[in-house]
Coordinates of all heavy atoms in Angstrom, one line a residue:
M1440 N 148.2 35.7 183.8 CA 147.9 35.1 185.1 C 149.3 34.9 185.8 O 150.2 34.3 185.2 CB 147.2 33.8 184.9 CG 147.1 32.9 186.1 SD 146.0 31.5 185.7 CE 147.2 30.2 185.8
T1441 N 149.4 35.4 186.9 CA 150.6 35.1 187.7 C 150.2 34.6 189.1 O 149.1 34.8 189.5 CB 151.5 36.4 187.8 OG1 150.8 37.4 188.4 CG2 152.0 36.8 186.5
G1442 N 151.2 34.1 189.8 CA 150.8 33.5 191.1 C 150.4 32.1 191.0 O 150.5 31.5 189.9
T1443 N 149.8 31.5 192.0 CA 149.4 30.1 191.9 C 147.9 30.1 191.8 O 147.2 31.0 192.2 CB 149.8 29.3 193.1 OG1 149.3 30.0 194.3 CG2 151.3 29.3 193.2
D1444 N 147.4 29.0 191.3 CA 146.0 28.8 191.1 C 145.7 27.4 191.6 O 145.9 26.4 191.0 CB 145.6 28.9 189.6 CG 144.1 28.7 189.3 OD1 143.4 28.3 190.2 OD2 143.7 28.9 188.2
A1445 N 145.1 27.3 192.8 CA 144.9 26.0 193.5 C 144.0 25.1 192.8 O 144.0 23.9 192.9 CB 144.4 26.3 194.9
T1446 N 143.0 25.7 192.0 CA 142.1 24.8 191.3 C 142.7 24.1 190.1 O 142.1 23.1 189.7 CB 140.9 25.7 190.8 OG1 141.3 26.6 189.8 CG2 140.1 26.3 191.9
H1447 N 143.8 24.5 189.6 CA 144.4 23.8 188.4 C 145.8 23.4 188.7 O 146.5 23.0 187.8 CB 144.4 24.8 187.2 CG 143.0 25.2 186.8 ND1 142.1 24.3 186.3 CD2 142.4 26.4 186.7 CE1 141.0 24.9 186.0 NE2 141.2 26.2 186.2
G1448 N 146.2 23.4 189.9 CA 147.6 23.1 190.3 C 147.9 21.6 190.1 O 147.0 20.7 190.1
T1449 N 149.1 21.2 190.0 CA 149.6 19.8 190.0 C 150.5 19.6 191.1 O 150.8 20.5 191.9 CB 150.4 19.6 188.7 OG1 151.6 20.3 188.7 CG2 149.5 19.9 187.4
G1450 N 150.9 18.4 191.3 CA 151.8 18.1 192.4 C 153.1 18.8 192.3 O 153.6 19.3 193.3
A1451 N 153.6 18.9 191.1 CA 154.8 19.7 190.9 C 154.7 21.1 191.2 O 155.6 21.8 191.8 CB 155.3 19.5 189.4
D1452 N 153.5 21.7 190.9 CA 153.2 23.1 191.2 C 153.2 23.3 192.7 O 153.6 24.3 193.2 CB 151.9 23.6 190.6 CG 151.9 23.5 189.1 OD1 153.0 23.5 188.5 OD2 150.9 23.4 188.5
A1453 N 152.6 22.3 193.4 CA 152.5 22.4 194.9 C 153.9 22.5 195.5 O 154.0 23.1 196.6 CB 151.7 21.3 195.4
M1454 N 154.9 21.9 194.9 CA 156.2 21.9 195.5 C 156.8 23.3 195.3 O 157.7 23.6 196.1 CB 157.1 20.8 194.8 CG 156.8 19.4 195.2 SD 158.0 18.3 194.5 CE 157.1 17.6 193.2
D1455 N 156.4 24.1 194.4 CA 156.9 25.4 194.2 C 155.7 26.4 194.2 O 155.3 26.9 193.1 CB 157.7 25.5 192.8 CG 158.4 26.8 192.7 OD1 158.4 27.6 193.6 OD2 158.9 27.0 191.6
P1456 N 155.2 26.7 195.4 CA 154.0 27.5 195.4 C 154.2 28.9 195.0 O 153.3 29.7 194.7 CB 153.6 27.5 196.9 CG 154.9 27.1 197.6 CD 155.6 26.3 196.7
A1457 N 155.5 29.4 194.8 CA 155.7 30.7 194.4 C 155.9 30.8 192.9 O 156.3 31.8 192.3 CB 157.0 31.3 195.1
A1458 N 155.7 29.7 192.2 CA 155.9 29.6 190.7 C 155.0 30.6 190.0 O 153.8 30.7 190.3 CB 155.7 28.2 190.2
S1459 N 155.6 31.4 189.2 CA 154.8 32.4 188.4 C 154.2 31.6 187.2 O 154.9 30.8 186.6 CB 155.7 33.5 187.8 OG 156.2 34.3 188.9
Q1460 N 152.9 31.9 187.0 CA 152.2 31.1 186.0 C 151.6 32.1 184.9 O 151.2 33.2 185.2 CB 151.0 30.4 186.6 CG 151.5 29.4 187.7 CD 150.4 28.7 188.4 OE1 149.4 28.4 187.8 NE2 150.6 28.5 189.7
V1461 N 151.7 31.7 183.7 CA 151.2 32.5 182.5 C 150.5 31.6 181.6 O 150.5 30.4 181.6 CB 152.4 33.2 181.8 CG1 153.1 34.1 182.7 CG2 153.4 32.1 181.3
W1462 N 149.7 32.3 180.7 CA 148.9 31.6 179.6 C 149.8 31.3 178.4 O 150.7 32.1 178.1 CB 147.7 32.4 179.3 CG 146.7 32.5 180.4 CD1 146.4 33.6 181.1 CD2 145.9 31.5 181.0 NE1 145.5 33.4 182.0 CE2 145.2 32.0 182.0 CE3 145.8 30.1 180.7 CZ2 144.3 31.3 182.8 CZ3 144.9 29.4 181.5 CH2 144.2 30.0 182.5
D1463 N 149.5 30.3 177.7 CA 150.3 29.9 176.5 C 150.2 30.9 175.3 O 150.9 30.8 174.4 CB 150.1 28.5 176.1 CG 148.7 28.3 175.5 OD1 147.8 29.2 175.6 OD2 148.4 27.1 175.1
D1464 N 149.2 31.8 175.4 CA 149.1 32.8 174.3 C 149.9 34.0 174.5 O 149.9 34.9 173.7 CB 147.6 33.1 174.0 CG 146.9 33.9 175.2 OD1 147.5 33.8 176.3 OD2 145.9 34.4 175.0
M1465 N 150.7 34.1 175.6 CA 151.5 35.2 175.9 C 152.7 35.2 174.9 O 153.3 34.1 174.6 CB 152.0 35.1 177.3 CG 153.0 36.2 177.7 SD 153.4 36.1 179.5 CE 151.9 36.7 180.2
T1466 N 153.2 36.3 174.5 CA 154.4 36.4 173.6 C 155.6 36.2 174.4 O 155.6 36.4 175.6 CB 154.5 37.7 172.8 OG1 154.7 38.8 173.8 CG2 153.3 38.0 172.0
V1467 N 156.7 35.8 173.7 CA 158.0 35.6 174.4 C 158.5 36.8 175.0 O 158.9 36.8 176.2 CB 159.0 35.0 173.3 CG1 160.4 35.1 173.9 CG2 158.6 33.6 172.9
E1468 N 158.3 38.0 174.4 CA 158.8 39.3 175.0 C 158.0 39.6 176.3 O 158.7 40.0 177.2 CB 158.6 40.4 174.0 CG 159.6 40.5 172.9 CD 161.0 40.7 173.3 OE1 161.2 41.4 174.3 OE2 161.9 40.1 172.8
V1469 N 156.7 39.4 176.3 CA 156.0 39.7 177.5 C 156.3 38.7 178.6 O 156.5 39.0 179.7 CB 154.4 39.6 177.2 CG1 153.6 39.7 178.5 CG2 154.1 40.8 176.2
A1470 N 156.5 37.4 178.2 CA 157.0 36.4 179.2 C 158.3 36.8 179.8 O 158.5 36.6 181.0 CB 157.0 35.0 178.5
L1471 N 159.2 37.3 179.0 CA 160.5 37.7 179.6 C 160.3 38.9 180.5 O 161.0 39.0 181.6 CB 161.5 38.1 178.4 CG 162.1 36.9 177.7 CD1 162.8 37.3 176.4 CD2 163.1 36.2 178.6
S1472 N 159.4 39.8 180.2 CA 159.1 40.9 181.1 C 158.5 40.4 182.4 O 158.9 40.9 183.5 CB 158.2 41.9 180.4 OG 158.8 42.5 179.3
V1473 N 157.6 39.5 182.3 CA 157.0 38.9 183.5 C 158.0 38.3 184.4 O 158.1 38.4 185.6 CB 155.8 37.9 183.2 CG1 155.4 37.1 184.4 CG2 154.7 38.7 182.5
M1474 N 158.9 37.5 183.7 CA 160.0 36.8 184.4 C 160.9 37.8 185.2 O 161.2 37.6 186.3 CB 160.8 36.0 183.4 CG 161.3 34.7 183.9 SD 162.2 33.8 182.6 CE 160.9 32.7 182.1
A1475 N 161.2 38.9 184.5 CA 162.1 39.9 185.1 C 161.4 40.6 186.3 O 162.0 40.8 187.4 CB 162.5 41.0 184.1
A1476 N 160.1 40.9 186.1 CA 159.3 41.5 187.2 C 159.2 40.6 188.4 O 159.2 41.0 189.6 CB 158.0 42.0 186.7
A1477 N 159.0 39.3 188.1 CA 158.8 38.3 189.2 C 160.1 37.9 189.8 O 160.2 37.1 190.8 CB 158.0 37.1 188.7
R1478 N 161.2 38.3 189.2 CA 162.6 37.9 189.6 C 162.7 36.4 189.7 O 163.1 35.8 190.8 CB 163.0 38.6 190.9 CG 163.1 40.1 190.7 CD 163.6 40.7 191.9 NE 163.8 42.1 191.6 CZ 163.7 43.1 192.5 NH1 163.3 42.9 193.7 NH2 163.9 44.3 192.1
T1479 N 162.3 35.7 188.7 CA 162.4 34.2 188.6 C 163.1 33.8 187.3 O 163.2 34.6 186.4 CB 160.9 33.6 188.7 OG1 161.0 32.2 188.8 CG2 160.1 34.0 187.5
G1480 N 163.5 32.6 187.3 CA 164.2 32.1 186.2 C 163.4 31.1 185.3 O 163.8 30.6 184.3
H1481 N 162.1 31.0 185.7 CA 161.2 30.1 185.0 C 159.7 30.5 185.2 O 159.4 31.2 186.1 CB 161.4 28.6 185.4 CG 160.9 28.3 186.8 ND1 161.7 28.6 187.9 CD2 159.7 27.8 187.2 CE1 161.0 28.2 189.0 NE2 159.8 27.8 188.6
L1482 N 158.9 30.0 184.3 CA 157.5 30.3 184.3 C 156.7 29.0 184.0 O 157.1 28.2 183.1 CB 157.0 31.3 183.3 CG 157.6 32.7 183.4 CD1 157.2 33.5 182.1 CD2 157.1 33.4 184.6
V1483 N 155.7 28.7 184.7 CA 154.8 27.6 184.5 C 153.8 28.1 183.4 O 153.2 29.2 183.6 CB 154.0 27.2 185.7 CG1 152.9 26.1 185.4 CG2 155.0 26.6 186.8
V1484 N 153.6 27.4 182.3 CA 152.8 27.8 181.2 C 151.5 27.0 181.3 O 151.5 25.8 181.4 CB 153.5 27.6 179.8 CG1 152.6 28.0 178.7 CG2 154.8 28.3 179.8
R1485 N 150.4 27.7 181.2 CA 149.0 27.0 181.2 C 148.3 27.2 179.9 O 148.4 28.3 179.3 CB 148.2 27.7 182.3 CG 148.8 27.6 183.7 CD 148.1 26.6 184.5 NE 148.8 26.5 185.8 CZ 148.9 25.4 186.4 NH1 148.5 24.2 185.9 NH2 149.5 25.3 187.6
G1486 N 147.6 26.2 179.4 CA 146.8 26.2 178.2 C 145.4 26.9 178.5 O 145.1 27.3 179.6
E1487 N 144.6 26.9 177.4 CA 143.3 27.5 177.5 C 142.4 26.8 178.6 O 141.6 27.5 179.2 CB 142.6 27.4 176.2 CG 143.2 28.3 175.1 CD 142.4 28.2 173.8 OE1 141.4 27.6 173.7 OE2 143.0 28.7 172.8
D1488 N 142.7 25.5 178.8 CA 141.9 24.8 179.8 C 142.4 25.0 181.2 O 141.9 24.4 182.2 CB 141.8 23.3 179.5 CG 143.1 22.6 179.4 OD1 144.2 23.3 179.6 OD2 143.2 21.4 179.1
G1489 N 143.5 25.7 181.4 CA 144.1 25.9 182.7 C 145.1 24.9 183.1 O 145.7 25.0 184.2
R1490 N 145.3 23.9 182.3 CA 146.2 22.8 182.7 C 147.6 23.2 182.3 O 147.9 23.9 181.3 CB 145.9 21.5 182.0 CG 144.6 20.9 182.5 CD 144.4 19.6 181.9 NE 143.2 19.0 182.5 CZ 142.6 18.0 181.9 NH1 143.0 17.4 180.8 NH2 141.5 17.5 182.5
R1491 N 148.6 22.7 183.1 CA 150.0 23.0 182.8 C 150.4 22.4 181.5 O 150.2 21.2 181.3 CB 150.8 22.5 184.0 CG 152.3 22.7 183.8 CD 153.0 22.2 185.0 NE 154.4 22.2 184.7 CZ 155.4 22.1 185.7 NH1 155.0 22.0 186.9 NH2 156.6 22.1 185.3
T1492 N 151.0 23.2 180.6 CA 151.4 22.6 179.4 C 152.9 22.6 179.2 O 153.5 21.9 178.4 CB 150.8 23.4 178.2 OG1 151.3 24.8 178.3 CG2 149.3 23.3 178.2
D1493 N 153.6 23.4 180.0 CA 155.1 23.6 179.8 C 155.7 24.3 181.0 O 154.9 24.9 181.8 CB 155.4 24.4 178.5 CG 156.8 24.1 178.0 OD1 157.5 23.3 178.5 OD2 157.1 24.7 176.9
L1494 N 157.0 24.3 181.1 CA 157.8 25.1 182.0 C 158.9 25.7 181.2 O 159.6 25.0 180.5 CB 158.3 24.2 183.1 CG 159.2 25.0 184.1 CD1 158.3 25.4 185.3 CD2 160.4 24.2 184.6
V1495 N 158.9 27.0 181.1 CA 159.9 27.7 180.3 C 160.9 28.4 181.2 O 160.5 28.9 182.2 CB 159.3 28.7 179.2 CG1 158.5 27.9 178.2 CG2 158.5 29.7 179.9
T1496 N 162.2 28.3 180.8 CA 163.2 29.0 181.5 C 163.6 30.3 180.8 O 163.4 30.4 179.6 CB 164.5 28.1 181.7 OG1 165.0 27.9 180.3 CG2 164.1 26.8 182.4
Q1497 N 164.3 31.2 181.5 CA 164.8 32.4 180.9 C 165.8 32.1 179.8 O 165.7 32.7 178.7 CB 165.4 33.3 181.9 CG 165.9 34.6 181.4 CD 166.6 35.5 182.4 OE1 167.2 34.9 183.3 NE2 166.4 36.7 182.3
A1498 N 166.6 31.1 180.0 CA 167.6 30.7 179.0 C 166.9 30.3 177.7 O 167.4 30.6 176.6 CB 168.5 29.6 179.5
R1499 N 165.9 29.5 177.8 CA 165.1 29.0 176.6 C 164.5 30.1 175.9 O 164.5 30.2 174.7 CB 164.1 28.0 177.1 CG 163.4 27.4 175.9 CD 162.6 26.2 176.4 NE 161.5 25.8 175.5 CZ 160.4 25.3 175.8 NH1 160.2 24.9 177.1 NH2 159.5 25.0 175.0
L1500 N 163.9 31.1 176.6 CA 163.2 32.2 176.0 C 164.2 33.1 175.3 O 164.0 33.6 174.2 CB 162.4 33.0 177.0 CG 161.2 32.3 177.6 CD1 160.4 33.2 178.6 CD2 160.2 31.8 176.5
L1501 N 165.4 33.3 175.9 CA 166.4 34.1 175.3 C 166.9 33.5 174.1 O 167.2 34.1 173.0 CB 167.5 34.4 176.3 CG 167.1 35.4 177.4 CD1 168.3 35.4 178.5 CD2 166.8 36.7 176.9
A1502 N 167.1 32.1 174.1 CA 167.6 31.4 172.9 C 166.6 31.6 171.7 O 166.9 31.8 170.6 CB 167.8 30.0 173.2
V1503 N 165.3 31.5 172.1 CA 164.2 31.6 171.0 C 164.3 33.0 170.5 O 164.3 33.3 169.3 CB 162.8 31.3 171.6 CG1 161.7 31.7 170.7 CG2 162.7 29.8 171.9
R1504 N 164.3 34.0 171.4 CA 164.3 35.4 171.0 C 165.5 35.8 170.1 O 165.4 36.5 169.1 CB 164.3 36.3 172.2 CG 164.1 37.8 171.8 CD 164.3 38.7 172.9 NE 165.7 38.7 173.4 CZ 166.1 39.3 174.5 NH1 165.3 40.0 175.2 NH2 167.4 39.3 174.8
D1505 N 166.7 35.1 170.4 CA 167.9 35.4 169.6 C 168.0 34.6 168.3 O 168.9 34.7 167.6 CB 169.1 35.2 170.5 CG 169.2 36.2 171.6 OD1 168.5 37.2 171.6 OD2 169.9 35.9 172.6
G1506 N 167.0 33.7 168.1 CA 167.0 32.8 166.9 C 166.7 33.5 165.7 O 166.0 34.6 165.7
A1507 N 167.1 33.0 164.6 CA 167.0 33.6 163.2 C 165.5 33.7 162.8 O 165.1 34.7 162.2 CB 167.7 32.8 162.2
G1508 N 164.6 32.8 163.3 CA 163.2 32.8 162.8 C 162.3 33.6 163.8 O 161.1 33.6 163.6
Y1509 N 162.9 34.3 164.8 CA 162.1 35.0 165.8 C 161.4 36.2 165.2 O 162.0 37.0 164.5 CB 163.0 35.4 167.0 CG 162.2 36.1 168.0 CD1 161.3 35.5 168.9 CD2 162.3 37.5 168.1 CE1 160.6 36.2 169.8 CE2 161.5 38.2 169.0 CZ 160.7 37.6 169.9 OH 160.0 38.3 170.8
T1510 N 160.1 36.4 165.6 CA 159.4 37.7 165.4 C 158.7 38.0 166.7 O 158.6 37.1 167.6 CB 158.3 37.6 164.3 OG1 157.2 36.8 164.8 CG2 158.9 37.0 163.0
D1511 N 158.3 39.2 166.9 CA 157.6 39.6 168.2 C 156.2 39.0 168.3 O 155.5 39.3 169.3 CB 157.6 41.1 168.3 CG 156.8 41.8 167.2 OD1 156.3 41.2 166.3 OD2 156.7 43.1 167.3
Q1512 N 155.8 38.2 167.3 CA 154.5 37.5 167.4 C 154.6 36.1 167.9 O 153.6 35.4 168.1 CB 153.9 37.5 166.0 CG 153.6 38.9 165.4 CD 152.7 39.7 166.3 OE1 151.6 39.3 166.7 NE2 153.2 40.9 166.7
V1513 N 155.8 35.6 168.2 CA 156.0 34.2 168.7 C 155.4 34.1 170.1 O 155.7 34.9 171.0 CB 157.5 33.8 168.7 CG1 157.6 32.4 169.3 CG2 158.0 33.8 167.3
R1514 N 154.5 33.2 170.3 CA 153.9 32.9 171.5 C 154.4 31.7 172.2 O 155.1 30.9 171.6 CB 152.4 32.8 171.3 CG 151.8 34.0 170.6 CD 150.3 34.1 170.7 NE 149.8 35.3 170.0 CZ 149.8 36.5 170.6 NH1 150.2 36.6 171.9 NH2 149.3 37.6 170.0
L1515 N 154.2 31.6 173.5 CA 154.7 30.5 174.3 C 154.2 29.2 173.7 O 154.9 28.2 173.7 CB 154.4 30.6 175.8 CG 155.0 31.8 176.5 CD1 154.5 31.9 177.9 CD2 156.5 31.8 176.3
R1516 N 153.0 29.1 173.2 CA 152.5 27.8 172.7 C 153.2 27.4 171.4 O 153.3 26.3 171.1 CB 151.0 27.9 172.4 CG 150.6 28.8 171.2 CD 149.1 28.7 170.8 NE 148.2 29.1 171.8 CZ 147.5 30.2 171.8 NH1 147.5 31.0 170.7 NH2 146.7 30.6 172.7
D1517 N 153.8 28.4 170.7 CA 154.6 28.1 169.5 C 155.9 27.4 169.9 O 156.5 26.8 169.0 CB 154.9 29.4 168.8 CG 153.7 30.1 168.3 OD1 152.7 29.5 168.1 OD2 153.8 31.4 168.2
I1518 N 156.4 27.5 171.1 CA 157.7 26.9 171.5 C 157.5 25.8 172.5 O 158.4 25.3 173.1 CB 158.7 28.0 172.0 CG1 158.1 28.6 173.3 CG2 159.0 29.0 171.0 CD1 159.2 29.4 174.1
A1519 N 156.2 25.4 172.7 CA 155.9 24.4 173.7 C 156.6 23.1 173.6 O 157.0 22.4 174.6 CB 154.4 24.1 173.8
D1520 N 157.0 22.7 172.4 CA 157.7 21.5 172.2 C 159.2 21.6 172.3 O 160.0 20.7 172.0 CB 157.3 20.8 170.8 CG 155.9 20.4 170.7 OD1 155.3 20.0 171.8 OD2 155.3 20.5 169.6
G1521 N 159.6 22.8 172.6 CA 161.0 23.1 172.8 C 161.8 23.4 171.5 O 163.0 23.5 171.4
G1522 N 161.0 23.5 170.4 CA 161.6 23.6 169.1 C 161.9 25.0 168.6 O 162.5 25.2 167.6
G1523 N 161.5 26.0 169.3 CA 161.7 27.4 168.9 C 160.6 27.8 168.0 O 159.6 27.1 167.7
P1524 N 160.7 29.0 167.4 CA 159.6 29.6 166.6 C 159.5 28.9 165.3 O 160.5 28.3 164.8 CB 160.1 31.1 166.4 CG 161.5 31.0 166.5 CD 161.8 30.0 167.6
P1525 N 158.3 28.9 164.7 CA 158.2 28.3 163.3 C 159.0 29.1 162.3 O 159.2 30.3 162.5 CB 156.7 28.4 163.0 CG 156.2 29.5 163.9 CD 157.1 29.5 165.1
P1526 N 159.5 28.5 161.3 CA 160.3 29.2 160.3 C 159.4 30.2 159.5 O 158.2 30.1 159.4 CB 160.8 28.1 159.3 CG 159.9 27.0 159.5 CD 159.3 27.1 160.9
R1527 N 160.1 31.3 159.1 CA 159.4 32.3 158.3 C 159.0 31.8 157.0 O 159.7 30.9 156.5 CB 160.3 33.6 158.2 CG 160.5 34.3 159.4 CD 161.4 35.5 159.2 NE 161.7 36.1 160.4 CZ 162.6 37.1 160.6 NH1 163.2 37.5 159.5 NH2 162.8 37.6 161.7
H1528 N 157.9 32.3 156.4 CA 157.6 31.8 155.0 C 158.7 32.1 154.1 O 159.3 33.2 154.1 CB 156.3 32.5 154.6 CG 155.1 32.1 155.4 ND1 154.5 30.9 155.2 CD2 154.5 32.7 156.4 CE1 153.5 30.8 156.1 NE2 153.4 31.9 156.8
G1529 N 159.0 31.1 153.3 CA 160.1 31.3 152.3 C 161.5 31.0 152.9 O 162.4 30.9 152.1
A1530 N 161.6 30.8 154.2 CA 162.9 30.4 154.8 C 163.2 28.9 154.5 O 162.3 28.1 154.4 CB 162.9 30.7 156.2
R1531 N 164.4 28.6 154.3 CA 164.8 27.2 154.1 C 165.7 26.7 155.2 O 166.6 27.3 155.7 CB 165.5 27.1 152.8 CG 164.5 27.3 151.7 CD 165.2 27.2 150.3 NE 164.2 27.6 149.3 CZ 164.2 27.2 148.1 NH1 165.1 26.4 147.7 NH2 163.3 27.5 147.3

């Protein structure tokens, strides 16, 4: 989902009507591609219920992608708390 969605917007979203919006099940790689295509430095992340769950920046996504525990299966919901991807099994 990109663009704005007036039915699920918040006051913060209304201040930035051009904010690109995506679902939390999107992978980090796809989110970076959406960000590049939209020529924006951030994305509003929405959960299954359509509510805003996070705001991710390009810098944050690049840091996650460059992290030791990154795989191409990491989704935006996996980094919603700002902690990066979960550790790989067997990693310490």
Side-chain angles (χ1 to χ4, degrees):
M1440 166 172 114
T1441 58
T1443 58
D1444 182 350
T1446 61
H1447 298 297
T1449 66
D1452 299 335
M1454 287 188 255
D1455 187 4
S1459 295
Q1460 302 176 35
V1461 295
W1462 296 110
D1463 67 354
D1464 64 345
M1465 180 177 284
T1466 65
V1467 168
E1468 284 297 323
V1469 173
L1471 284 166
S1472 294
V1473 168
M1474 213 176 264
R1478 294 186 174 147
T1479 186
H1481 68 276
L1482 297 170
V1483 173
V1484 181
R1485 303 253 178 216
E1487 290 179 13
D1488 60 1
R1490 291 188 176 162
R1491 179 179 170 160
T1492 60
D1493 203 0
L1494 179 94
V1495 293
T1496 64
Q1497 182 180 35
R1499 182 168 161 209
L1500 293 179
L1501 290 172
V1503 168
R1504 187 187 68 185
D1505 294 342
Y1509 177 76
T1510 73
D1511 62 359
Q1512 300 301 308
V1513 175
R1514 301 193 179 279
L1515 296 178
R1516 73 170 63 110
D1517 298 332
I1518 64 168
D1520 294 330
R1527 293 182 185 169
H1528 292 284
R1531 293 181 184 204

